[in-house]
Amino acid sequence: MKLTELLQSNRPTVSCELFPPKPGTALLDAPSVVRRMAALHPAYMSVTCSAGGSGNGGVTTADMANEVQNINGITALAHLTCVAATRDEVRASLEDLKKLGIENILALRGDLPRDGAFPHPDGYHHASELMEEIRTFGGFCIGGACYPEGHPESATLYEDIENLKYKVDAGCEFLTTQMFFDNNELYSYLYKLRRSGIDIPVIAGIMPVTNASQIKRIMSLSGSQLPARFRAIIDRFAGNPAAVKQAGIAYATEQIIDLLANGVDHVHIYTMNKPEIAGSIMANLSEILQ
Ligand code: FAD
């Protein structure tokens, strides 16, 4: 199913995210993680793609998307990055996804490589160029990323929103937000998008922070701000991992309930291959999502 069909309805949707396991990491049983996540009946499951391309040296984004959709019967959204790819490599990835029947792609540039080798001479400067390529290829529903607090490379939020219009013009049909921890940031961002004429569906990205060490990394990568209310939780419970986990699940649940109550119908949880965390949040929402 194309995600635009799902997003057209006013029925609330909650989706989950997976990443392909890196070779040599502890996550050896990717099929079991997919199965456990699928058992929670998310509206769809997205599979990330490393900035280096769809293959992680082992299980690829396409392999995981196949597992999600063709083995477990949940619509898959495959991420596709272009920062290190040639046009031929991107077209080969599109062929692979098409053969598997994957219909939805989140088209991304990917974070810039530290060695400054960007873009590839036969590659793409921005996600919007990748979107044009996918649209020309045909047959996919195309999504993109957006940043309620502005992309870290943009001088201002307004500049970032102006650049977002290139994505919409290139065929982007829906947006998933970067994580945010203060819902007011999203409400104010949605207002600015609509005012700028961007009216495609926006899916709110929620990150359950379940260990204190995640925080620094999240802040440096996403540029998201931590509200004082959230910082107090981490300060108070940082020495007690079980308490941080419980508080992180409760905080994410509360954010989601507030979003749904205020008419933001589509929420994506950055579940990071952790079915038990996704399961706790889904259990907290069981009646709300009926
Ligand atoms: P772009 O849209 O190209 O934007 C990058 C910067 O360039 C922004 O500052 C933008 O304002 C500016 N810009 C865009 N177009 C133009 C233009 N035409 N002219 C001038 N400036 C322009 N990374 C991964 O490696 N793998 C993943 O699976 C992944 N999934 C993600 C999912 C979501 C929902 C989000 C929010 C991010 C994800 N990322 C992922 C991170 C993402 O790759 C980085 O944030 C990256 O730095 C920017 O990607 P983009 O697609 O938004 O790029």
Side-chain angles (χ1 to χ4, degrees), residues 104-118:
N104 304 291
I105 296 181
L106 195 75
L108 300 144
R109 187 196 65 187
D111 283 322
L112 296 177
R114 289 208 183 108
D115 63 8
F118 168 78

Side-chain angles (χ1 to χ4, degrees), residues 225-239:
Q225 296 301 312
L226 277 191
R229 199 163 73 83
F230 190 89
R231 273 203 312 272
I233 294 174
I234 300 300
D235 290 347
R236 173 70 179 82
F237 302 116

